[in-house]
Amino acid sequence: MDILLPTSLSHIRLDEKGMAWIDDTNVKVIEVVMGKLAHGSSPEEIHFQHPHLSLSQIHAALTYYYDHQKNLDDLIEHGYQRVQEMKSQAEETPFRKRLRETGK
């Protein structure tokens, strides 16, 4: 008879700001979700890109996303809008200017 050891069922923890993290890692749930949304990655593909995450951690992150999809989608959209705003306010760097001048 095999002995069953206790396991973490959720693999997700919330920090003091309410941000969801994968237990025992420095990876936010939203980082795994962004990979899935941006590239259509399967859990196995995500595991290939992040071998330090177990498949159960990846599935837990995706489950958390689907359970809180509206909130996380809003957070992703807010981040995207913030980046676009910062990008529009940023001055052109010398490197970017040279690229533009060469038609790239």
Side-chain angles (χ1 to χ4, degrees):
M1 178 171 160
D2 292 332
I3 297 174
L4 297 178
L5 301 174
T7 61
S8 171
L9 295 178
S10 73
H11 294 291
I12 306 300
R13 67 178 168 79
L14 299 178
D15 68 13
E16 63 280 350
K17 295 179 182 176
M19 181 63 66
W21 294 78
I22 298 174
D23 266 350
D24 303 323
T25 72
N26 63 345
V27 178
K28 295 176 185 176
V29 167
I30 202 164
E31 293 172 20
V32 171
V33 169
M34 295 283 285
K36 171 147 183 67
L37 296 176
H39 306 290
S41 301
S42 70
E44 291 77 14
E45 290 168 325
I46 294 169
H47 179 61
F48 181 77
Q49 296 298 323
H50 303 278
H52 62 285
L53 298 177
S54 70
L55 279 173
S56 60
Q57 289 173 316
I58 293 165
H59 281 282
L62 295 175
T63 297
Y64 184 88
Y65 168 67
Y66 291 120
D67 285 346
H68 303 91
Q69 188 169 359
K70 171 135 178 48
N71 291 343
L72 288 173
D73 285 348
D74 289 347
L75 187 60
I76 291 167
E77 178 63 26
H78 176 73
Y80 176 78
Q81 293 302 326
R82 230 176 100 215
V83 167
Q84 294 305 310
E85 181 181 317
M86 290 168 53
K87 187 177 172 182
S88 71
Q89 294 174 356
E91 294 182 24
E92 186 174 52
T93 66
F95 176 70
R96 197 170 190 84
K97 182 178 178 182
R98 284 193 309 272
L99 284 176
R100 186 177 44 76
E101 288 170 352
T102 61
K104 298 181 181 176

